[in-house]
């Protein structure tokens, strides 16, 4: 009798398949196009990777995707590294991704152009939404990495051009995973301050991958929603990012961004000095001109008789003023003597002076006793002397 074939359970078969796949495809690299990308609230990424003939489900856990410098988008071609895993409850296999990068610079450029077109169609680049940059800012907010050369350049330029401005730093990551979120948080934080006049978002130069945080949609929308004017100073002169298009003013470098945000103290000093010199000269010329006009009028024949009449009237006014002053002094002396006489009269009725001479005030039931007949021998009496009070019965 022939031996029956060994029959496997579903779990046993799945286990065998899982073991074979996971051992065989433990470390693989795959290139494909992203489809149905979803960032879960947990931080994990779920999507499909496809080409013209096939599709495979992919998972990238939060612990690994935090090192990806860009935000994946549907249609973007990428290269991933990872391993094949099997999910037994569903009997399906998927790609467990450990690292991800664009398939080439063309993919990043395509994503850049796609987002640029989208935001432009929404009006985020329109000039009518650009806020004016204040001429004399008292507080300047800065969003950048505090350990970078851009930060040192910004502080140096501010100190040289306009040291009166206060610099408020909102540190941010400007490269790599989480940098876009960090930049957004810093912009929103500065917008909570009521007295920030302008914000500079900056970083030094680098490759398109280095600058990619400033090409993220969340950064663009945070700049657009900012109540405070934003100057972008990202990279070098040839570098353009989405942030540059949305910002209220684009600077080719971080240093130029601070120059655009601040006036030059030397120019201000020169303007003030020139203004004062010119104003003083104009005032002197005007005064001299008017003085000559007045002298000419005074010395003219038609002015002689009126001036004599004016001098006589002026003398009469002086005499009247002297009479008023003398009469005022006379009446003041009379009133002063009356006040002195009344003061002496009031002193004669001063109770304290009477008590000092030996008199005593007697009070019963909170009333002063004015006559001996009003005194009640059965009740206590309060006796007030000059130097104190006593109570007796």
């Amino acid at each position: 009798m022939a031996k029956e074939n060994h029959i496997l359970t579903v779990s046993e078969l799945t286990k065998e398949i899982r073991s074979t796949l996971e051992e065989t495809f433990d470390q693989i690299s795959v290139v494909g196009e992203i489809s149905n990308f979803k960032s879960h609230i947990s931080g994990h990424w779920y999507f499909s990777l496809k080409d013209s003939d096939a599709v495979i489900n992919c998972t990238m856990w939060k612990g690994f995707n935090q090192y990806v410098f860009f935000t994946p988008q549907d249609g973007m071609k990428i290269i991933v590294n990872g391993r094949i895993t099997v999910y037994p409850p569903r009997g399906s296999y998927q790609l467990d991704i450990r690292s991800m990068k664009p398939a080439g610079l063309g993919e990043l450029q395509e994503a850049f152009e796609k987002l640029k077109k989208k935001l432009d169609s929404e009006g985020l680049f329109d000039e009518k939404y650009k806020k004016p940059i204040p001429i004399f800012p008292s507080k300047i907010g800065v969003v950048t990495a505090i350990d970078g050369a851009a930060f040192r350049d910004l502080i140096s330029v501010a100190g040289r051009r306009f040291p009166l401005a206060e610099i408020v730093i909102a540190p941010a990551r400007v490269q790599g995973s989480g940098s876009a979120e960090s930049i957004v948080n810093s912009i929103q934080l500065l917008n909570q301050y009521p007295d920030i006049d302008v914000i500079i978002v900056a970083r030094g130069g680098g490759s398109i991958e280095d600058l990619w945080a400033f090409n993220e949609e969340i950064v663009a929308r945070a700049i657009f929603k900012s109540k405070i004017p934003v100057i972008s100073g990202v990279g070098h002169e040839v570098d353009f990012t989405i942030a540059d298009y949305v910002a209220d003013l684009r600077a080719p470098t971080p240093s130029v961004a601070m120059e655009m945000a601040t006036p030059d103290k030397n120019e201000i000093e020169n303007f003030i000095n020139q203004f004062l010199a010119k104003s003083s000269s104009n005032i002197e010329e005007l005064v001299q001109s008017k003085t000559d006009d007045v002298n000419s009028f005074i010395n003219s024949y038609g002015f002689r008789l009126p001036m004599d009449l004016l001098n006589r009237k002026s003398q009469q006014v002086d005499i009247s003023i002297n009479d008023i002053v003398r009469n005022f002094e006379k009446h003041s002396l009379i009133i002063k003597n009356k006040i002195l006489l009344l003061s002496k009269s009031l002193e004669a009725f001063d109770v304290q002076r009477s008590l000092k001479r030996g008199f005593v005030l007697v009070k019963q039931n909170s009333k002063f006793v004015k006559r001996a007949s009003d005194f009640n021998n059965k009740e206590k009496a309060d006796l007030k002397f000059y130097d104190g009070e006593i109570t007796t019965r």
Side-chain angles (χ1 to χ4, degrees):
M1 184 175 178
K3 184 179 178 181
E4 294 183 358
N5 293 332
H6 178 61
I7 300 175
L8 300 174
T9 65
V10 174
S11 297
E12 290 173 339
L13 177 59
T14 302
K15 185 177 180 180
E16 290 290 337
I17 294 173
R18 179 179 183 181
S19 176
T20 301
L21 288 177
E22 293 185 355
E23 290 179 5
T24 305
F25 300 98
D26 181 53
Q27 187 77 19
I28 57 174
S29 297
V30 182
V31 61
E33 182 181 302
I34 298 175
S35 175
N36 298 320
F37 178 83
K38 180 180 180 181
S39 178
H40 195 270
I41 190 173
S42 63
H44 306 318
W45 290 350
Y46 301 97
F47 59 96
S48 298
L49 202 60
K50 67 178 183 177
D51 57 21
S52 59
D53 299 318
V55 61
I56 184 172
N57 293 330
C58 301
T59 301
M60 192 170 192
W61 309 116
K62 181 180 180 181
F64 292 103
N65 65 34
Q66 63 180 348
Y67 298 105
V68 178
F69 72 87
F70 63 97
T71 300
Q73 302 176 21
D74 286 351
M76 180 180 288
K77 194 173 183 180
I78 59 173
I79 298 174
V80 297
N81 295 309
R83 63 191 181 95
I84 294 294
T85 60
V86 176
Y87 186 55
R90 293 182 181 175
S92 61
Y93 70 96
Q94 61 187 15
L95 189 57
D96 185 1
I97 298 175
R98 302 300 177 86
S99 66
M100 176 191 302
K101 66 179 181 179
L105 294 181
E107 294 301 318
L108 289 179
Q109 189 63 37
E110 184 178 347
F112 174 91
E113 295 297 338
K114 183 178 179 181
L115 180 59
K116 179 183 174 184
K117 183 178 180 180
K118 173 185 176 182
L119 298 181
D120 190 19
S121 66
E122 294 182 21
L124 270 67
F125 303 162
D126 289 356
E127 286 295 326
K128 64 181 180 181
Y129 296 122
K130 305 296 184 185
K131 294 176 282 294
I133 308 301
I135 298 176
F136 296 101
S138 58
K139 281 189 178 181
I140 302 173
V142 172
V143 177
T144 191
I146 59 175
D147 57 351
F151 174 73
R152 294 190 294 272
D153 292 341
L154 289 166
I155 298 302
S156 175
V157 173
R160 170 174 54 83
R161 287 179 59 85
F162 196 58
L164 293 178
E166 180 180 346
I167 308 299
V168 181
I169 309 299
R173 296 181 62 183
V174 294
Q175 180 178 340
S177 173
S179 55
E181 290 79 4
S182 179
I183 294 169
V184 170
N185 291 337
S186 294
I187 293 174
Q188 293 174 345
L189 177 62
L190 289 175
N191 270 268
Q192 295 177 13
Y193 286 79
D195 52 354
I196 301 291
D197 297 305
V198 63
I199 295 175
I200 296 176
V201 178
R203 72 144 286 158
S207 64
I208 187 172
E209 294 94 338
D210 296 336
L211 305 180
W212 191 256
F214 298 91
N215 291 322
E216 294 283 1
E217 183 173 354
I218 58 173
V219 173
R221 296 196 181 279
I223 292 175
F224 184 76
K225 291 180 181 179
S226 174
K227 297 176 294 184
I228 305 170
V230 176
I231 301 176
S232 67
V234 180
H236 298 306
E237 293 189 20
V238 296
D239 298 320
F240 270 87
T241 65
I242 297 295
D244 294 324
Y245 292 101
V246 183
D248 299 292
L249 184 63
R250 185 254 176 184
T253 65
S255 297
V256 176
M258 184 59 77
E259 291 180 0
M260 290 179 170
T262 56
D264 188 346
K265 67 176 183 179
N266 295 325
E267 294 180 359
I268 296 174
E269 291 174 356
N270 292 335
F271 172 79
I272 293 174
N273 291 333
Q274 293 176 5
F275 177 79
L276 291 175
K278 187 173 182 179
S279 297
S280 298
S281 176
N282 291 339
I283 291 173
E284 290 177 358
E285 292 178 1
L286 181 62
V287 169
Q288 185 60 49
S289 174
K290 297 304 178 184
T291 300
D292 294 340
D293 291 343
V294 171
N295 291 332
S296 176
F297 290 141
I298 292 175
N299 295 326
S300 65
Y301 176 79
F303 228 83
R304 292 176 186 173
L305 292 178
M307 285 302 298
D308 291 342
L309 179 60
L310 180 62
N311 290 334
R312 288 197 299 271
K313 295 299 182 182
S314 177
Q315 186 175 7
Q316 291 176 2
V317 170
D318 291 341
I319 293 172
S320 298
I321 291 175
N322 290 334
D323 292 340
I324 292 172
V325 171
R326 283 196 300 272
N327 289 332
F328 179 77
E329 291 176 347
K330 179 180 178 181
H331 286 290
S332 296
L333 182 60
I334 293 173
I335 293 173
K336 183 177 181 181
N337 291 334
K338 287 182 179 181
I339 292 173
L340 183 61
L341 181 61
L342 290 173
S343 297
K344 291 185 178 296
S345 299
L346 288 174
E347 289 177 0
F349 292 97
D350 187 0
V351 175
Q352 288 298 113
R353 296 185 63 177
S354 298
L355 293 177
K356 192 173 184 180
R357 292 199 299 271
F359 292 94
V360 178
L361 294 175
V362 180
K363 185 186 291 185
Q364 283 186 323
N365 296 324
S366 301
K367 296 181 179 180
F368 287 108
V369 179
K370 300 179 181 179
R371 302 286 186 272
S373 58
D374 296 334
F375 188 79
N376 189 342
N377 291 326
K378 296 180 181 181
E379 294 184 1
K380 67 178 182 178
D382 296 324
L383 304 181
K384 179 176 178 61
F385 294 87
Y386 173 74
D387 57 351
E389 295 183 11
I390 63 174
T391 302
T392 182
R393 288 188 178 277

